[in-house]
Amino acid sequence: MEIYKQFFDLTDQIVLITGASKGLGKGMAEAFAAAGAKVFLISRNEKQLQENVSAILSRGSRASFFAGDVNNIDFVHQVVNEIREKETRIDVLINNAGVVFPKKAFDISVEDWDSTIETNLKSVFFFSQTAAQVMKERSAGRIINISSIMGAVGDISLSTYCASKGGVMQLTKALALEWAKYNIQVNAIGPGYVETDMNHDAFKDEHFRNYILNKTPLRRLGTIDEIAGAALFLASPVAAYITGQTIFVDGGWTAQ
Ligand SMILES: NC(=O)c1ccc[n+]([C@@H]2O[C@H](COP(=O)([O-])OP(=O)(O)OC[C@H]3O[C@@H](n4cnc5c(N)ncnc54)[C@H](OP(=O)(O)O)[C@@H]3O)[C@@H](O)[C@H]2O)c1
């Protein structure tokens, strides 16, 4: 049985998670910390990050945070450089920060387009590029990008979001191929609907909630733990031969 423990061992892994102030990112930070990793939480909300880190530390796990904008390349370089100096390595990067501004295509402004693509796609590339330089030095690393079911299918009022998340899936494949020679595995997770601040207001509308539940074969929303579980798996030793893939954790949505 001991060998199975090794398959999933994340003890002392250095793990960076963007968008870790709340929602899926916060849940993944808690899950990796509980699994023995040292987690670095990243988002713009310093107060919330401080609270999340304190909660993790109070449970005897290890965590720290960086407050800033993932669209600011200087901030990205600063985070990666500081972690490299202190920890000498980065084992896992989870590109999770994301935004959605549901709007009909005719109503989307240039600013709407730019802010969605910048946060959901451009920052994923530049955070990966920066962290992979450090991973390359040790010929080891995992990058996990949080895409969405909307990276694979379309929906009304989500055109920019779908474009960004489809881009994340393609980026995942391309970087996986380019960095395979450095033993850096690049994968993505495509969550179905999980209730978080991102969609909480939308789910107050019973019509929307029923529409989503009826479109989901398992007839329920996903949980934060179910997304975190997939991330733990993709970061673990047993997933070392998986690269360039998107794993959908979506109650069957994309199987239709
Ligand atoms: N919930 C779902 O149903 C669902 C489904 C599929 C995919 N996803 C994806 O999962 C990821 C997490 O979503 P969530 O549901 O957990 O959303 P959420 O609760 O709204 O959290 C989004 C996170 O992203 C961070 N963020 C946004 N813009 C940022 C920026 N410019 N710089 C730094 N951090 C930034 C936010 O932090 P601050 O505001 O503190 O900076 C927050 O921590 C997103 O990529 C989303 O597209 C979610």
Side-chain angles (χ1 to χ4, degrees):
M1 289 312 271
E2 209 42 41
I3 189 145
Y4 290 106
K5 256 171 118 178
Q6 284 170 26
F7 284 171
F8 295 101
D9 189 17
L10 294 170
T11 310
D12 295 332
Q13 294 278 293
I14 303 299
V15 179
L16 280 60
I17 305 173
T18 71
S21 58
K22 55 188 181 173
L24 304 185
K26 179 183 176 203
M28 288 189 281
E30 288 168 351
F32 276 81
K38 180 167 184 185
V39 290
F40 290 86
L41 289 74
I42 299 154
S43 95
R44 295 161 299 186
N45 188 335
E46 181 163 1
K47 187 169 170 287
Q48 194 58 56
L49 290 175
Q50 179 67 70
E51 277 179 34
N52 297 350
V53 165
S54 298
I56 291 171
L57 295 176
S58 73
R59 292 193 284 268
S61 298
R62 287 166 304 159
S64 186
F65 73 87
F66 288 89
D69 190 327
V70 294
N71 296 320
N72 177 349
I73 191 71
D74 293 335
F75 170 69
V76 172
H77 287 161
Q78 180 213 330
V79 169
V80 169
N81 287 340
E82 277 191 34
I83 294 174
R84 185 182 179 281
E85 267 174 35
K86 274 193 211 138
E87 309 293 342
T88 71
R89 63 182 212 279
I90 292 170
D91 297 304
V92 181
L93 166 67
I94 304 181
N95 286 304
N96 164 77
V99 291
V100 63
F101 306 110
K103 271 187 188 177
K104 292 277 163 49
F106 284 132
D107 297 330
I108 290 167
S109 65
V110 172
E111 290 74 25
D112 293 331
W113 172 269
D114 286 346
S115 63
T116 304
I117 298 296
E118 280 214 3
T119 305
N120 294 5
L121 182 57
K122 187 176 167 187
S123 85
V124 172
F125 176 79
F126 285 103
F127 225 121
S128 300
Q129 182 196 58
T130 312
Q133 298 276 8
V134 181
M135 294 172 174
K136 184 180 155 211
E137 290 166 7
R138 297 177 65 249
S139 290
R142 303 283 171 92
I143 296 174
I144 300 167
N145 299 323
I146 306 303
S147 177
S148 165
I149 48 175
M150 297 305 161
V153 302
D155 212 341
I156 290 161
S157 295
L158 290 174
S159 54
T160 48
Y161 186 77
C162 290
S164 70
K165 294 298 187 179
V168 168
M169 287 175 60
Q170 282 296 92
L171 189 60
T172 298
K173 289 184 202 171
L175 295 180
L177 296 181
E178 194 162 326
W179 294 339
K181 64 180 172 208
Y182 306 124
N183 193 33
I184 299 170
Q185 289 83 358
V186 188
N187 290 294
I189 295 171
Y193 279 89
V194 178
E195 196 164 349
T196 65
D197 278 4
M198 178 169 273
N199 47 35
H200 185 65
D201 283 344
F203 275 121
K204 282 183 191 156
D205 176 358
E206 277 309 303
H207 179 75
F208 177 77
R209 184 178 289 273
N210 289 333
Y211 164 75
I212 297 302
L213 291 176
N214 285 330
K215 265 188 100 164
T216 308
L218 288 182
R219 295 287 184 267
R220 67 170 176 86
L221 303 181
T223 67
I224 291 176
D225 285 344
E226 286 166 339
I227 308 306
L232 288 171
F233 166 67
L234 286 173
S236 70
V238 80
Y241 203 51
I242 301 175
T243 199
Q245 303 301 311
T246 298
I247 296 184
F248 290 98
V249 184
D250 67 355
W253 187 294
T254 51
Q256 301 172 98

